[in-house]
Amino acid sequence: MLPVGCLRAALRLSRAMSVLSLEPRPAGKRWLVVGLGNPGLPGTRHSVGMAVLGHLARRLGVEDTWARDRHCAADLAVGLLEDAQVVLLRSRRLMNASGRSVSRAAELFGLAAEEVYLVHDELDKPLGKLALKLGGSSRGHKGVRSCISCLNSRVSLPLRPALGLVGQHGAACTVHQSSLGPPLAPPQAMPRLRIGIGRPTHPDTVQAHVLGSFSAAEQELLPLLLERATDMLLDHIRARSQQPPLGPDLSELLPP
């Protein structure tokens, strides 16, 4: 148990962080990054989104500042990327109900769906394959489905051909751009970073595969995977933060 003095200092820090975090910010200067996973099950393939979030917290220098937020039923940390605020969220709810935590945080921080980055595992991509996509269906992922439903995010957008992007850190990735049409309404579609975990050969073993831990051989690949995923997020957020407020064509917000 922490000494009383430490508890009081932690409480003051938490209150100060809350005031700073909830200050109004211009559009494009605050982002929410959500790492999907099951609480209490770190190291599993289904919780790889949380692993990426932890690595991102270390890169932003906020790995020791996680604070529990009862309103969101989640752990939050707040970092800065140049002049943009990046709020990190790992839900304390089970995966299938994580959207409730995400929508509550988006409401508290005054964010729309397109300002929420969702990081999650993807069965239909091999381990090590990353893709950043705007919107799209849940493809059977119940955690993603919960977030889409709770945020009322668009799930079907016409996609343009994928664009190759190499960020500042040299991390190659694939970014799918979407044509959102005339600016009649804001584009309510979440950017999603999909982390490939590979699909097993036999359908009967899918659940065990998803909820199982990475093998020893796979764990050797994880450090580089987490680094590349973090680079991709930072590069993409930085590029969007440096551009004018979100418009109908997100291709204008990406580096050439």
Short mmCIF file of all heavy atoms in Angstrom, two decimals, residues 187-239:
data_model
loop_
_atom_site.label_atom_id
_atom_site.label_comp_id
_atom_site.label_asym_id
_atom_site.label_seq_id
_atom_site.Cartn_x
_atom_site.Cartn_y
_atom_site.Cartn_z
N PRO A 187 -17.31 13.28 -41.56
CA PRO A 187 -17.10 11.86 -41.88
C PRO A 187 -16.91 11.04 -40.62
O PRO A 187 -15.82 10.95 -40.08
CB PRO A 187 -15.82 11.88 -42.72
CG PRO A 187 -15.08 13.09 -42.24
CD PRO A 187 -16.11 14.09 -41.84
N GLN A 188 -17.99 10.45 -40.11
CA GLN A 188 -17.93 9.71 -38.86
C GLN A 188 -17.37 8.30 -39.09
O GLN A 188 -18.08 7.31 -39.04
CB GLN A 188 -19.33 9.63 -38.24
CG GLN A 188 -19.92 10.97 -37.89
CD GLN A 188 -19.23 11.61 -36.69
OE1 GLN A 188 -18.89 10.93 -35.75
NE2 GLN A 188 -19.02 12.91 -36.74
N ALA A 189 -16.10 8.20 -39.32
CA ALA A 189 -15.47 6.90 -39.54
C ALA A 189 -14.15 6.86 -38.80
O ALA A 189 -13.32 7.74 -38.95
CB ALA A 189 -15.25 6.67 -41.04
N MET A 190 -13.96 5.83 -37.99
CA MET A 190 -12.74 5.70 -37.21
C MET A 190 -11.57 5.23 -38.05
O MET A 190 -11.70 4.28 -38.82
CB MET A 190 -12.94 4.66 -36.10
CG MET A 190 -13.74 5.10 -34.92
SD MET A 190 -13.80 3.76 -33.69
CE MET A 190 -14.72 2.52 -34.60
N PRO A 191 -10.39 5.83 -37.87
CA PRO A 191 -9.17 5.23 -38.42
C PRO A 191 -8.85 3.99 -37.57
O PRO A 191 -8.89 4.04 -36.35
CB PRO A 191 -8.11 6.32 -38.23
CG PRO A 191 -8.85 7.56 -37.90
CD PRO A 191 -10.13 7.14 -37.25
N ARG A 192 -8.52 2.89 -38.23
CA ARG A 192 -8.25 1.64 -37.52
C ARG A 192 -6.91 1.06 -37.96
O ARG A 192 -6.66 0.87 -39.15
CB ARG A 192 -9.37 0.63 -37.78
CG ARG A 192 -10.66 0.96 -37.07
CD ARG A 192 -11.85 0.23 -37.66
NE ARG A 192 -11.56 -1.16 -37.96
CZ ARG A 192 -12.33 -1.94 -38.73
NH1 ARG A 192 -13.40 -1.44 -39.31
NH2 ARG A 192 -12.01 -3.19 -38.93
N LEU A 193 -6.06 0.80 -36.98
CA LEU A 193 -4.79 0.14 -37.25
C LEU A 193 -4.99 -1.34 -36.96
O LEU A 193 -5.18 -1.75 -35.81
CB LEU A 193 -3.68 0.72 -36.38
CG LEU A 193 -2.30 0.06 -36.54
CD1 LEU A 193 -1.85 0.09 -38.00
CD2 LEU A 193 -1.27 0.75 -35.65
N ARG A 194 -4.94 -2.13 -38.02
CA ARG A 194 -5.18 -3.57 -37.89
C ARG A 194 -3.84 -4.30 -37.81
O ARG A 194 -2.98 -4.16 -38.68
CB ARG A 194 -6.01 -4.07 -39.06
CG ARG A 194 -7.38 -3.39 -39.14
CD ARG A 194 -8.20 -3.92 -40.29
NE ARG A 194 -7.60 -3.58 -41.57
CZ ARG A 194 -7.97 -4.11 -42.74
NH1 ARG A 194 -8.93 -5.02 -42.78
NH2 ARG A 194 -7.40 -3.74 -43.85
N ILE A 195 -3.67 -5.11 -36.78
CA ILE A 195 -2.44 -5.85 -36.53
C ILE A 195 -2.67 -7.32 -36.87
O ILE A 195 -3.46 -8.00 -36.23
CB ILE A 195 -2.00 -5.75 -35.05
CG1 ILE A 195 -2.11 -4.31 -34.54
CG2 ILE A 195 -0.60 -6.32 -34.86
CD1 ILE A 195 -1.15 -3.36 -35.18
N GLY A 196 -2.01 -7.80 -37.89
CA GLY A 196 -2.20 -9.19 -38.30
C GLY A 196 -1.73 -10.18 -37.25
O GLY A 196 -0.63 -10.04 -36.70
N ILE A 197 -2.58 -11.19 -36.97
CA ILE A 197 -2.19 -12.27 -36.06
C ILE A 197 -2.26 -13.63 -36.76
O ILE A 197 -1.91 -14.65 -36.17
CB ILE A 197 -3.05 -12.29 -34.79
CG1 ILE A 197 -4.53 -12.51 -35.13
CG2 ILE A 197 -2.87 -11.01 -33.99
CD1 ILE A 197 -5.42 -12.76 -33.91
N GLY A 198 -2.71 -13.63 -38.03
CA GLY A 198 -2.79 -14.87 -38.78
C GLY A 198 -4.00 -15.71 -38.40
O GLY A 198 -4.44 -15.69 -37.26
N ARG A 199 -4.56 -16.39 -39.39
CA ARG A 199 -5.71 -17.27 -39.16
C ARG A 199 -5.25 -18.72 -39.18
O ARG A 199 -4.56 -19.14 -40.13
CB ARG A 199 -6.78 -17.04 -40.24
CG ARG A 199 -8.02 -17.90 -40.07
CD ARG A 199 -9.02 -17.65 -41.18
NE ARG A 199 -9.66 -16.34 -41.04
CZ ARG A 199 -10.72 -16.11 -40.28
NH1 ARG A 199 -11.27 -17.09 -39.58
NH2 ARG A 199 -11.23 -14.89 -40.22
N PRO A 200 -5.63 -19.51 -38.19
CA PRO A 200 -5.24 -20.93 -38.18
C PRO A 200 -5.90 -21.70 -39.31
O PRO A 200 -6.93 -21.28 -39.86
CB PRO A 200 -5.70 -21.42 -36.81
CG PRO A 200 -6.81 -20.50 -36.44
CD PRO A 200 -6.45 -19.16 -37.03
N THR A 201 -5.33 -22.82 -39.66
CA THR A 201 -5.83 -23.61 -40.78
C THR A 201 -7.22 -24.17 -40.51
O THR A 201 -8.09 -24.14 -41.38
CB THR A 201 -4.87 -24.78 -41.08
OG1 THR A 201 -3.56 -24.25 -41.31
CG2 THR A 201 -5.33 -25.55 -42.31
N HIS A 202 -7.43 -24.67 -39.30
CA HIS A 202 -8.71 -25.30 -38.98
C HIS A 202 -9.65 -24.31 -38.29
O HIS A 202 -9.28 -23.72 -37.28
CB HIS A 202 -8.48 -26.52 -38.07
CG HIS A 202 -7.59 -27.57 -38.70
ND1 HIS A 202 -8.01 -28.36 -39.74
CD2 HIS A 202 -6.31 -27.91 -38.44
CE1 HIS A 202 -7.03 -29.18 -40.09
NE2 HIS A 202 -5.99 -28.91 -39.32
N PRO A 203 -10.86 -24.15 -38.81
CA PRO A 203 -11.81 -23.19 -38.23
C PRO A 203 -12.11 -23.45 -36.75
O PRO A 203 -12.37 -22.52 -35.99
CB PRO A 203 -13.07 -23.38 -39.09
CG PRO A 203 -12.56 -23.93 -40.38
CD PRO A 203 -11.39 -24.78 -40.02
N ASP A 204 -12.07 -24.73 -36.35
CA ASP A 204 -12.40 -25.07 -34.97
C ASP A 204 -11.38 -24.53 -33.97
O ASP A 204 -11.64 -24.50 -32.76
CB ASP A 204 -12.51 -26.59 -34.80
CG ASP A 204 -13.69 -27.18 -35.57
OD1 ASP A 204 -14.60 -26.40 -35.94
OD2 ASP A 204 -13.70 -28.40 -35.80
N THR A 205 -10.21 -24.14 -34.44
CA THR A 205 -9.16 -23.69 -33.52
C THR A 205 -9.02 -22.16 -33.48
O THR A 205 -8.10 -21.65 -32.84
CB THR A 205 -7.80 -24.30 -33.93
OG1 THR A 205 -7.45 -23.83 -35.25
CG2 THR A 205 -7.88 -25.82 -33.94
N VAL A 206 -9.94 -21.44 -34.16
CA VAL A 206 -9.83 -19.99 -34.22
C VAL A 206 -9.89 -19.35 -32.83
O VAL A 206 -9.07 -18.50 -32.48
CB VAL A 206 -10.93 -19.40 -35.12
CG1 VAL A 206 -11.01 -17.88 -34.96
CG2 VAL A 206 -10.64 -19.73 -36.58
N GLN A 207 -10.88 -19.77 -32.02
CA GLN A 207 -11.03 -19.16 -30.70
C GLN A 207 -9.80 -19.40 -29.83
O GLN A 207 -9.31 -18.47 -29.17
CB GLN A 207 -12.28 -19.71 -30.00
CG GLN A 207 -12.53 -19.04 -28.65
CD GLN A 207 -13.85 -19.46 -28.03
OE1 GLN A 207 -14.65 -20.15 -28.65
NE2 GLN A 207 -14.10 -19.05 -26.80
N ALA A 208 -9.30 -20.62 -29.83
CA ALA A 208 -8.11 -20.93 -29.04
C ALA A 208 -6.91 -20.14 -29.54
O ALA A 208 -6.07 -19.68 -28.75
CB ALA A 208 -7.83 -22.42 -29.09
N HIS A 209 -6.83 -19.97 -30.86
CA HIS A 209 -5.73 -19.21 -31.45
C HIS A 209 -5.79 -17.74 -31.02
O HIS A 209 -4.77 -17.17 -30.59
CB HIS A 209 -5.82 -19.30 -32.98
CG HIS A 209 -4.81 -18.46 -33.70
ND1 HIS A 209 -3.49 -18.81 -33.84
CD2 HIS A 209 -4.95 -17.27 -34.36
CE1 HIS A 209 -2.85 -17.88 -34.52
NE2 HIS A 209 -3.71 -16.93 -34.84
N VAL A 210 -6.95 -17.14 -31.09
CA VAL A 210 -7.11 -15.72 -30.76
C VAL A 210 -6.84 -15.47 -29.28
O VAL A 210 -6.16 -14.50 -28.92
CB VAL A 210 -8.53 -15.24 -31.13
CG1 VAL A 210 -8.81 -13.87 -30.54
CG2 VAL A 210 -8.68 -15.20 -32.65
N LEU A 211 -7.35 -16.34 -28.43
CA LEU A 211 -7.21 -16.14 -26.99
C LEU A 211 -5.91 -16.71 -26.42
O LEU A 211 -5.61 -16.51 -25.24
CB LEU A 211 -8.40 -16.79 -26.25
CG LEU A 211 -9.78 -16.21 -26.59
CD1 LEU A 211 -10.87 -16.94 -25.82
CD2 LEU A 211 -9.83 -14.71 -26.27
N GLY A 212 -5.14 -17.37 -27.29
CA GLY A 212 -3.88 -17.95 -26.84
C GLY A 212 -2.74 -16.96 -26.87
O GLY A 212 -2.81 -15.90 -27.49
N SER A 213 -1.66 -17.32 -26.19
CA SER A 213 -0.46 -16.47 -26.16
C SER A 213 0.35 -16.66 -27.43
O SER A 213 0.25 -17.70 -28.10
CB SER A 213 0.40 -16.81 -24.94
OG SER A 213 -0.32 -16.58 -23.74
N PHE A 214 1.16 -15.67 -27.76
CA PHE A 214 2.05 -15.79 -28.90
C PHE A 214 3.07 -16.89 -28.63
O PHE A 214 3.55 -17.05 -27.50
CB PHE A 214 2.78 -14.47 -29.15
CG PHE A 214 1.92 -13.38 -29.73
CD1 PHE A 214 1.44 -12.35 -28.93
CD2 PHE A 214 1.59 -13.39 -31.07
CE1 PHE A 214 0.64 -11.35 -29.46
CE2 PHE A 214 0.79 -12.40 -31.62
CZ PHE A 214 0.31 -11.37 -30.81
N SER A 215 3.39 -17.64 -29.66
CA SER A 215 4.40 -18.69 -29.53
C SER A 215 5.78 -18.06 -29.33
O SER A 215 5.96 -16.85 -29.52
CB SER A 215 4.41 -19.56 -30.79
OG SER A 215 4.87 -18.81 -31.91
N ALA A 216 6.74 -18.88 -28.97
CA ALA A 216 8.10 -18.37 -28.75
C ALA A 216 8.66 -17.73 -30.02
O ALA A 216 9.30 -16.68 -29.97
CB ALA A 216 9.01 -19.51 -28.28
N ALA A 217 8.38 -18.36 -31.17
CA ALA A 217 8.86 -17.81 -32.44
C ALA A 217 8.18 -16.49 -32.75
O ALA A 217 8.81 -15.54 -33.24
CB ALA A 217 8.62 -18.82 -33.57
N GLU A 218 6.88 -16.39 -32.45
CA GLU A 218 6.14 -15.15 -32.71
C GLU A 218 6.61 -14.03 -31.78
O GLU A 218 6.67 -12.86 -32.17
CB GLU A 218 4.65 -15.40 -32.52
CG GLU A 218 4.03 -16.27 -33.62
CD GLU A 218 2.59 -16.64 -33.30
OE1 GLU A 218 2.22 -16.71 -32.12
OE2 GLU A 218 1.82 -16.87 -34.27
N GLN A 219 6.94 -14.38 -30.54
CA GLN A 219 7.38 -13.37 -29.58
C GLN A 219 8.67 -12.70 -30.02
O GLN A 219 8.92 -11.54 -29.68
CB GLN A 219 7.54 -14.01 -28.20
CG GLN A 219 6.21 -14.36 -27.54
CD GLN A 219 6.39 -15.05 -26.21
OE1 GLN A 219 7.47 -15.06 -25.63
NE2 GLN A 219 5.31 -15.64 -25.70
N GLU A 220 9.48 -13.40 -30.78
CA GLU A 220 10.71 -12.79 -31.29
C GLU A 220 10.41 -11.69 -32.30
O GLU A 220 11.21 -10.77 -32.48
CB GLU A 220 11.60 -13.87 -31.93
CG GLU A 220 12.15 -14.89 -30.94
CD GLU A 220 13.06 -15.89 -31.62
OE1 GLU A 220 13.30 -15.76 -32.84
OE2 GLU A 220 13.54 -16.81 -30.93
N LEU A 221 9.26 -11.78 -32.95
CA LEU A 221 8.87 -10.77 -33.95
C LEU A 221 8.16 -9.58 -33.32
O LEU A 221 8.04 -8.52 -33.96
CB LEU A 221 7.95 -11.41 -34.99
CG LEU A 221 8.48 -12.63 -35.76
CD1 LEU A 221 7.39 -13.19 -36.67
CD2 LEU A 221 9.70 -12.25 -36.57
N LEU A 222 7.68 -9.75 -32.09
CA LEU A 222 6.83 -8.71 -31.49
C LEU A 222 7.52 -7.36 -31.29
O LEU A 222 6.91 -6.32 -31.58
CB LEU A 222 6.26 -9.20 -30.16
CG LEU A 222 5.04 -10.13 -30.25
CD1 LEU A 222 4.57 -10.53 -28.86
CD2 LEU A 222 3.91 -9.47 -31.03
N PRO A 223 8.76 -7.30 -30.80
CA PRO A 223 9.37 -5.98 -30.58
C PRO A 223 9.39 -5.11 -31.83
O PRO A 223 9.02 -3.92 -31.78
CB PRO A 223 10.79 -6.32 -30.10
CG PRO A 223 10.64 -7.66 -29.45
CD PRO A 223 9.64 -8.39 -30.28
N LEU A 224 9.77 -5.68 -32.96
CA LEU A 224 9.79 -4.91 -34.20
C LEU A 224 8.38 -4.56 -34.64
O LEU A 224 8.12 -3.45 -35.13
CB LEU A 224 10.49 -5.71 -35.30
CG LEU A 224 10.56 -5.03 -36.68
CD1 LEU A 224 11.28 -3.69 -36.59
CD2 LEU A 224 11.26 -5.95 -37.69
N LEU A 225 7.44 -5.49 -34.45
CA LEU A 225 6.04 -5.24 -34.82
C LEU A 225 5.48 -4.06 -34.02
O LEU A 225 4.83 -3.17 -34.58
CB LEU A 225 5.21 -6.50 -34.58
CG LEU A 225 3.69 -6.37 -34.78
CD1 LEU A 225 3.37 -6.02 -36.22
CD2 LEU A 225 2.99 -7.65 -34.36
N LEU A 226 5.71 -4.06 -32.72
CA LEU A 226 5.21 -2.98 -31.87
C LEU A 226 5.84 -1.64 -32.24
O LEU A 226 5.18 -0.60 -32.24
CB LEU A 226 5.49 -3.29 -30.40
CG LEU A 226 4.82 -4.54 -29.83
CD1 LEU A 226 5.18 -4.72 -28.36
CD2 LEU A 226 3.31 -4.49 -29.99
N GLU A 227 7.13 -1.68 -32.59
CA GLU A 227 7.82 -0.44 -32.98
C GLU A 227 7.25 0.10 -34.28
O GLU A 227 7.01 1.31 -34.41
CB GLU A 227 9.31 -0.72 -33.13
CG GLU A 227 10.17 0.51 -33.33
CD GLU A 227 10.33 1.35 -32.08
OE1 GLU A 227 9.94 0.88 -30.99
OE2 GLU A 227 10.83 2.49 -32.19
N ARG A 228 7.02 -0.77 -35.26
CA ARG A 228 6.49 -0.33 -36.54
C ARG A 228 5.07 0.21 -36.39
O ARG A 228 4.71 1.22 -37.00
CB ARG A 228 6.50 -1.49 -37.54
CG ARG A 228 7.88 -1.90 -38.02
CD ARG A 228 7.80 -3.14 -38.90
NE ARG A 228 6.85 -2.98 -39.97
CZ ARG A 228 5.93 -3.90 -40.32
NH1 ARG A 228 5.86 -5.03 -39.64
NH2 ARG A 228 5.10 -3.67 -41.31
N ALA A 229 4.26 -0.48 -35.59
CA ALA A 229 2.89 -0.03 -35.37
C ALA A 229 2.86 1.34 -34.69
O ALA A 229 2.07 2.22 -35.06
CB ALA A 229 2.14 -1.06 -34.52
N THR A 230 3.74 1.54 -33.73
CA THR A 230 3.81 2.82 -33.03
C THR A 230 4.28 3.92 -33.98
O THR A 230 3.74 5.04 -33.97
CB THR A 230 4.76 2.72 -31.83
OG1 THR A 230 4.27 1.71 -30.93
CG2 THR A 230 4.84 4.05 -31.08
N ASP A 231 5.29 3.64 -34.79
CA ASP A 231 5.75 4.62 -35.78
C ASP A 231 4.60 5.03 -36.70
O ASP A 231 4.44 6.21 -37.03
CB ASP A 231 6.89 4.03 -36.62
CG ASP A 231 8.20 3.98 -35.88
OD1 ASP A 231 8.33 4.66 -34.84
OD2 ASP A 231 9.11 3.27 -36.34
N MET A 232 3.82 4.06 -37.12
CA MET A 232 2.73 4.33 -38.05
C MET A 232 1.71 5.26 -37.42
O MET A 232 1.25 6.23 -38.04
CB MET A 232 2.08 3.02 -38.48
CG MET A 232 1.10 3.16 -39.62
SD MET A 232 0.29 1.59 -40.02
CE MET A 232 1.71 0.57 -40.39
N LEU A 233 1.36 4.99 -36.17
CA LEU A 233 0.39 5.83 -35.48
C LEU A 233 0.92 7.25 -35.30
O LEU A 233 0.23 8.24 -35.59
CB LEU A 233 0.06 5.24 -34.10
CG LEU A 233 -0.86 4.01 -34.09
CD1 LEU A 233 -0.86 3.37 -32.71
CD2 LEU A 233 -2.28 4.40 -34.49
N LEU A 234 2.16 7.38 -34.83
CA LEU A 234 2.73 8.69 -34.58
C LEU A 234 2.85 9.50 -35.87
O LEU A 234 2.55 10.70 -35.90
CB LEU A 234 4.10 8.55 -33.92
CG LEU A 234 4.09 8.03 -32.48
CD1 LEU A 234 5.52 7.79 -31.99
CD2 LEU A 234 3.37 9.00 -31.56
N ASP A 235 3.30 8.86 -36.94
CA ASP A 235 3.44 9.56 -38.22
C ASP A 235 2.08 10.04 -38.74
O ASP A 235 1.95 11.14 -39.26
CB ASP A 235 4.10 8.65 -39.26
CG ASP A 235 5.59 8.45 -38.99
OD1 ASP A 235 6.20 9.33 -38.38
OD2 ASP A 235 6.12 7.40 -39.39
N HIS A 236 1.07 9.19 -38.60
CA HIS A 236 -0.24 9.52 -39.13
C HIS A 236 -0.89 10.63 -38.31
O HIS A 236 -1.47 11.58 -38.86
CB HIS A 236 -1.13 8.28 -39.14
CG HIS A 236 -2.29 8.38 -40.07
ND1 HIS A 236 -3.56 8.67 -39.62
CD2 HIS A 236 -2.39 8.26 -41.41
CE1 HIS A 236 -4.39 8.70 -40.65
NE2 HIS A 236 -3.71 8.46 -41.75
N ILE A 237 -0.79 10.54 -36.98
CA ILE A 237 -1.35 11.58 -36.12
C ILE A 237 -0.63 12.90 -36.34
O ILE A 237 -1.24 13.97 -36.42
CB ILE A 237 -1.27 11.15 -34.64
CG1 ILE A 237 -2.21 9.98 -34.39
CG2 ILE A 237 -1.62 12.32 -33.72
CD1 ILE A 237 -2.08 9.36 -33.01
N ARG A 238 0.70 12.84 -36.45
CA ARG A 238 1.47 14.06 -36.68
C ARG A 238 1.06 14.73 -38.00
O ARG A 238 0.88 15.95 -38.07
CB ARG A 238 2.97 13.73 -36.72
CG ARG A 238 3.87 14.97 -36.86
CD ARG A 238 5.33 14.59 -36.94
NE ARG A 238 5.83 14.07 -35.68
CZ ARG A 238 6.12 12.79 -35.45
NH1 ARG A 238 5.93 11.89 -36.41
NH2 ARG A 238 6.60 12.41 -34.29
N ALA A 239 0.90 13.93 -39.04
CA ALA A 239 0.53 14.48 -40.35
C ALA A 239 -0.85 15.14 -40.29
O ALA A 239 -1.05 16.23 -40.83
CB ALA A 239 0.54 13.37 -41.41
#
